Amino acid sequence: MALTVESLPQGPVQANTHIITDTVTGKIAVVDAGDCTAYLKERLQGRQVEYILLTHGHFDHILGVAALKELTDAEVCIHAADADCLSSEEKSLCSWECAGQQTPIVPDRLLHEGDVISLGESVLHVLHTPGHTKGGVCYADYENRILFTGDTLFCLTAGRTDFPGGSDEELLASLIRLRNLDGDFTVYTGHNRVTTLNQERMRNRYMRRIGQ
Ligand SMILES: [Zn+2]
Ligand SMILES: [Zn+2]
């Protein structure tokens, strides 16, 4: 069993879209879609896209979802607490930065802590990690040691907590939870570059501050 991950920055502030492929079946999930660029469409052409997995509901991660859904008919999944972002430019903060650009969409599946998503032979586990938003999630593949952290954990930093729904306490609890996962993971973040959980345990100023 294996997953391959291709990351491409897209959308108004270049949030990462991750194309995940289960290598056994060729089935695909797309994590976050701040846009649906010609390049993304080309990469997905003729391939079976099962899911659009959202890490949270901010506009920079969802503006491409409506177009991607139309293209692929994949199941749009978002945590229940962020679901209304998909129909509200106020909630997604789109109204702050790019009013009028969000096409409302109804999610197909509302996620909760502990949910499991099967992608061919691979399995992704939903970790509810609020703090940046109320409905922020990470997706963990324990078998292949891969973690998608959205705007919860970045390389050497962590997500902002000063937007509506943000909370320092919740973000800290979420970071503690990630730090305490067993073993190392490759960490695909919502912005900027890929990292590993071990590197963040050692060098990330938020994780270091948590103590033992
Ligand atoms: Zn965000
Ligand atoms: Zn973001």
Side-chain angles (χ1 to χ4, degrees), residues 32-107:
D32 289 344
D35 198 349
C36 186
T37 57
Y39 179 75
L40 177 62
K41 288 179 184 167
E42 185 192 309
R43 297 295 303 142
L44 298 177
Q45 190 154 34
R47 302 168 80 188
Q48 192 180 351
V49 183
E50 301 265 298
Y51 305 103
I52 300 164
L53 302 176
L54 302 174
T55 59
H56 64 297
H58 281 160
F59 71 97
D60 55 320
H61 298 255
I62 65 156
L63 278 181
V65 171
L68 190 57
K69 167 76 182 178
E70 197 175 305
L71 182 78
T72 61
D73 201 31
E75 211 176 319
V76 176
C77 307
I78 188 167
H79 189 276
D82 271 13
D84 54 4
C85 295
L86 295 182
S87 55
S88 163
E89 290 200 346
E90 301 294 321
K91 298 270 166 116
S92 72
L93 308 185
C94 189
S95 59
W96 296 13
E97 297 271 344
C98 42
Q101 286 184 32
Q102 185 177 332
T103 305
I105 183 160
V106 178

Side-chain angles (χ1 to χ4, degrees), residues 144-148 184-188 194-197:
N144 295 300
R145 316 302 301 167
I146 292 170
L147 195 58
F148 298 92
D184 199 13
F185 286 81
T186 304
V187 178
Y188 293 93
V194 66
T195 183
T196 67
L197 195 54

Side-chain angles (χ1 to χ4, degrees), residues 86-129:
L86 295 182
S87 55
S88 163
E89 290 200 346
E90 301 294 321
K91 298 270 166 116
S92 72
L93 308 185
C94 189
S95 59
W96 296 13
E97 297 271 344
C98 42
Q101 286 184 32
Q102 185 177 332
T103 305
I105 183 160
V106 178
D108 299 295
R109 179 168 167 187
L110 297 182
L111 301 175
H112 299 90
E113 166 62 29
D115 282 354
V116 170
I117 293 160
S118 297
L119 179 69
E121 304 276 307
S122 302
V123 179
L124 294 162
H125 296 260
V126 176
L127 283 65
H128 183 208
T129 50

Side-chain angles (χ1 to χ4, degrees), residues 13 15 56 58 60-61 132 150-151 154 190-191:
V13 290
H56 64 297
H58 281 160
D60 55 320
H61 298 255
H132 176 68
D151 287 3
F154 298 122
H191 297 269

